[in-house]
């Protein structure tokens, strides 16, 4: 991990100078895994509530439709971003331009044909004590062949773990996973240096060592979707959806390296 330098990106931010989403998101994809093209690939994902999502990928956009919980008319066209996080696992994100304030993220395996879907949405009105960006989660399968392996599901495996995440030379964050519902973070280097909070979080296990981690912040309107590979490569790939400093929706890519610091076990009671 790089040492902090005495520039403006690492000076402690005062409490009354809480950074906006676009402030800290700039450059947070520097160490992200490279994008991959799915041009010519067609995939249908069936979610556990019966929702069907049909995707036909081009070089930069995807034509898709959906019925059920996520409705999209035939011929809907949106940009997409795909990362091959493992040889057989793809992280596919649709920063939707066809509908305001929304994003759809799908993770799927070409070996087990298991899938996960996350819908992120910026709510129209801020409600006190509730994050402005909400998320919904589903397990699913693809139509590419026989389905095998464990069904993706909510997981408590990260509770008690403490990791540092390096996203760029000027983005260094620490996470402590407190329960199945909350995690704490602090910025060690970057424009948010000196800031931290405890926010709502969700963790699903997708495969051995591979965890979907999402958070929804209270203080600003932003949420994220990450796929942490805590197995053989210690990398994370993610995206953000939130409101920028002007109150406009913004989608951002993110990713970097994971440095585990250790973990604790609660001796007498288990956190929720």
């Amino acid at each position: 991990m790089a040492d902090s330098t005495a520039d403006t990106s690492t000076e402690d931010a005062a409490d009354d100078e809480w950074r906006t989403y676009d402030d800290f998101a700039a450059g947070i994809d520097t160490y992200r895994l490279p994008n991959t093209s799915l041009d010519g690939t067609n995939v249908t994902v069936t979610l556990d509530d019966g929702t069907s999502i049909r995707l036909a990928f081009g070089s930069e956009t995807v034509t898709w439709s959906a019925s059920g919980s996520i409705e999209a008319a035939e011929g809907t066209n949106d940009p997409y971003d795909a990362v091959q996080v493992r040889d057989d696992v793809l992280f596919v994100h649709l920063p939707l331009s066809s509908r305001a304030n929304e994003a759809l993220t799908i993770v799927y395996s070409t070996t087990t044909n298991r899938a996960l879907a996350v819908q992120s949405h910026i709510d129209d009105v801020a409600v006190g004590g509730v994050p402005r960006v909400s998320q919904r989660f589903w397990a699913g399968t693809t139509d590419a062949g026989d389905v095998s392996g464990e069904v993706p599901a909510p997981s408590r495996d990260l509770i008690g773990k403490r990791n540092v995440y390096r996203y760029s030379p000027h983005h260094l964050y620490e996470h402590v996973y407190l329960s199945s519902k909350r995690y704490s973070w602090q910025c060690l280097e970057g424009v948010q240096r000196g800031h931290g909070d405890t926010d709502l979080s969700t963790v699903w296990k997708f495969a051995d060592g591979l965890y979907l981690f999402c958070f929804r912040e209270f203080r600003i309107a932003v949420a994220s979707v990450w796929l942490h590979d805590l197995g053989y490569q210690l990398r994370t790939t993610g995206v953000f959806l939130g409101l920028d400093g002007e109150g406009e929706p913004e989608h951002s890519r993110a990713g970097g390296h994971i440095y585990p610091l250790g973990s604790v076990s609660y001796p007498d009671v288990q956190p929720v």
Side-chain angles (χ1 to χ4, degrees):
M1 293 179 287
D3 292 334
S4 296
T5 56
D7 61 18
T8 56
S9 68
T10 59
E11 292 177 356
D12 287 0
D15 288 341
D16 59 352
E17 294 179 350
W18 195 265
R19 303 298 186 174
T20 62
Y21 156 46
D22 44 322
D23 283 337
F24 73 77
I28 204 167
D29 62 343
T30 302
Y31 293 154
R32 195 179 201 245
L33 289 169
N35 279 18
T36 188
S37 175
L38 298 179
D39 191 9
T41 302
N42 295 327
V43 177
T44 296
V45 179
T46 302
L47 305 183
D48 53 14
D49 68 350
T51 295
S52 180
I53 307 171
R54 296 163 294 280
L55 305 115
F57 294 96
S59 59
E60 296 182 352
T61 61
V62 57
T63 301
W64 66 290
S65 62
S67 59
S69 298
I70 304 172
E71 294 186 2
E74 292 286 344
T76 301
N77 194 260
D78 282 294
Y80 78 92
D81 161 40
V83 175
Q84 189 170 342
V85 297
R86 287 185 178 176
D87 290 344
D88 64 337
V89 178
L90 287 154
F91 179 96
V92 181
H93 183 65
L94 279 63
L96 300 180
S97 57
S98 60
R99 57 180 79 175
N101 302 339
E102 195 168 310
L104 177 64
T105 309
I106 298 172
V107 177
Y108 67 91
S109 168
T110 57
T111 299
T112 66
N113 295 308
R114 294 289 184 186
L116 265 176
V118 184
Q119 182 187 47
S120 303
H121 182 266
I122 304 172
D123 296 329
D124 294 336
V125 179
V127 178
V130 178
R132 179 77 178 271
V133 186
S134 59
Q135 293 177 315
R136 297 195 292 169
F137 304 86
W138 298 267
T141 59
T142 72
D143 65 342
D146 294 336
V147 178
S148 61
E150 294 183 11
V151 179
S155 173
R156 297 170 58 84
D157 289 357
L158 298 192
I159 294 175
K161 293 190 182 300
R162 183 178 179 184
N163 297 334
V164 167
Y165 297 83
R166 167 68 74 181
Y167 308 118
S168 83
H170 304 296
H171 289 82
L172 186 66
Y173 286 79
E174 179 182 2
H175 291 182
V176 180
Y177 301 96
L178 302 176
S179 71
S180 63
K181 300 179 183 297
R182 292 179 185 268
Y183 90 113
S184 290
W185 63 271
Q186 65 167 328
C187 178
L188 303 175
E189 184 178 358
V191 298
Q192 287 184 304
R193 179 180 167 93
H195 283 171
D197 209 345
T198 298
D199 290 308
L200 292 184
S201 62
T202 300
V203 175
W204 283 50
K205 183 178 180 179
F206 183 73
D208 287 344
L210 205 54
Y211 293 91
L212 182 88
F213 166 68
C214 301
F215 68 72
R216 299 164 294 282
E217 290 202 16
F218 288 104
R219 191 155 182 176
I220 61 175
V222 66
S224 73
V225 181
W226 299 86
L227 195 61
H228 290 343
D229 188 345
L230 297 172
Y232 66 91
Q233 64 173 344
L234 293 176
R235 297 293 295 267
T236 185
T237 302
V239 291
F240 289 97
L241 171 63
L243 297 177
D244 64 17
E246 303 299 321
E248 296 297 322
E250 183 170 316
H251 303 267
S252 299
R253 302 172 184 178
H257 300 274
I258 304 172
Y259 300 90
L261 296 182
S263 62
V264 299
S265 297
Y266 294 90
D268 298 320
V269 296
Q270 287 295 314
V272 294

